[in-house]
Amino acid sequence: SLATRRQRENILKHVLESAGRQPLNKITKATIVAARDRRNATPFQARHFLDTMRGIFRWAVEAGLVKIDPTAGVADPAMPKNDGFPPWSEDDVAAYEAKWPIGTRERVWLDTLLYTGLRRGDAVRFGRQHVRNGIGTIKTEKTGTEVTLPILPVLAETLAAGPCGDLSFITNKLGRPFTKESFGNAFKDACRKAGITNRSAHGLRKIAAARAADRGATEAQLDAIFG
């Protein structure tokens, strides 16, 4: 994905600055392990570094540039355990809706996320071109799975009131589509203005699934909506 590409290009920029003149066959398993360990304070960064190097050296082996992949057998860093992004409560949703009524751009943001269950990277791409006869279909960025989304009346009302863009329902104040990163920041700002802290677009996916299940969605329907 474009986001992963940008992430890995940034990692490679730093690698080139520190080791760009080293022959590939001089980079050993010990070199990779030491570079991983230098990033131990930020395990996600260490994991992304390893994934980037694995891609580079698997290609290099196949291209005949090296005989041995120095990333082979290098263990992933220990990742911190957590419960993921905090889910929204019904009180959080009510507070946001009170601050941002139907007819505001910020309400389009909330309802698109809440009533589709899309991740933010897919939500910012979702638009009229994906909807036919009240059903939305979109191939998700993360897994490539096509999901099927009923456009519920509550969402249809919000989208009809807008404001929405031509190719994406979610837009910025200039009426243009967001990148997922800039949308994440804008949505957090809208949450803060509604008095909601420690909440993000990610946590809405959890309450969306819980609501659907509480209202009788079958396991097959949940799979179809949430991928």
Side-chain angles (χ1 to χ4, degrees):
S1 70
L2 287 175
T4 301
R5 191 184 307 175
R6 285 194 296 268
Q7 179 188 75
R8 294 191 178 183
E9 285 173 349
N10 189 51
I11 291 169
L12 287 170
K13 177 182 176 182
H14 293 293
V15 170
L16 288 171
E17 288 171 354
S18 64
R21 294 186 177 275
Q22 289 292 323
L24 286 177
N25 59 13
K26 295 294 185 183
I27 299 176
T28 65
K29 182 176 180 178
T31 309
I32 299 295
V33 169
R36 178 203 63 191
D37 291 347
R38 285 197 300 273
R39 296 166 171 84
N40 273 347
T42 51
F44 287 102
Q45 185 182 42
R47 175 62 185 269
H48 293 319
F49 166 78
L50 273 181
D51 287 344
T52 303
M53 292 298 99
R54 285 167 178 153
I56 287 287
F57 280 99
R58 285 169 185 165
W59 165 79
V61 169
E62 186 175 352
L65 299 175
V66 294
K67 293 182 178 178
I68 298 174
D69 176 0
T71 69
V74 176
D76 289 330
M79 304 300 287
K81 293 183 179 180
N82 58 59
D83 295 326
F85 294 93
W88 286 51
S89 69
E90 293 294 347
D91 287 342
D92 293 331
V93 174
Y96 189 104
E97 290 173 341
K99 173 64 178 177
W100 305 112
I102 291 176
T104 61
R105 198 177 311 279
E106 290 81 0
R107 184 58 169 269
V108 172
W109 302 352
L110 175 81
D111 285 4
T112 299
L113 291 165
L114 185 58
Y115 295 110
T116 66
L118 291 171
R119 298 179 180 88
R120 61 177 181 166
D122 300 317
V124 296
R125 297 187 294 114
F126 190 55
R128 292 180 177 86
Q129 69 276 16
H130 296 108
V131 180
R132 295 288 184 275
N133 300 319
I135 300 293
T137 55
I138 186 171
K139 185 172 286 189
T140 60
E141 177 185 61
K142 184 173 182 179
T143 65
T145 304
E146 185 173 83
V147 293
T148 304
L149 313 167
I151 305 301
L152 301 175
V154 61
L155 176 57
E157 180 184 0
T158 298
L159 297 179
C164 299
D166 293 331
L167 294 177
S168 59
F169 295 125
I170 290 176
T171 60
N172 61 23
K173 61 184 178 181
L174 298 177
R176 297 172 182 166
F178 280 104
T179 64
K180 72 176 179 181
E181 293 82 6
S182 59
F183 173 60
N185 293 331
F187 188 69
K188 284 183 180 179
D189 186 52
C191 291
R192 284 192 293 268
K193 290 177 179 177
I196 305 166
T197 58
N198 194 30
R199 296 292 182 269
S200 66
H202 290 282
L204 271 175
R205 186 170 160 85
K206 293 184 177 181
I207 193 174
R211 278 184 165 191
D214 288 343
R215 285 159 175 75
T218 66
E219 195 168 323
Q221 287 171 329
L222 291 171
D223 283 345
I225 295 169
F226 296 97

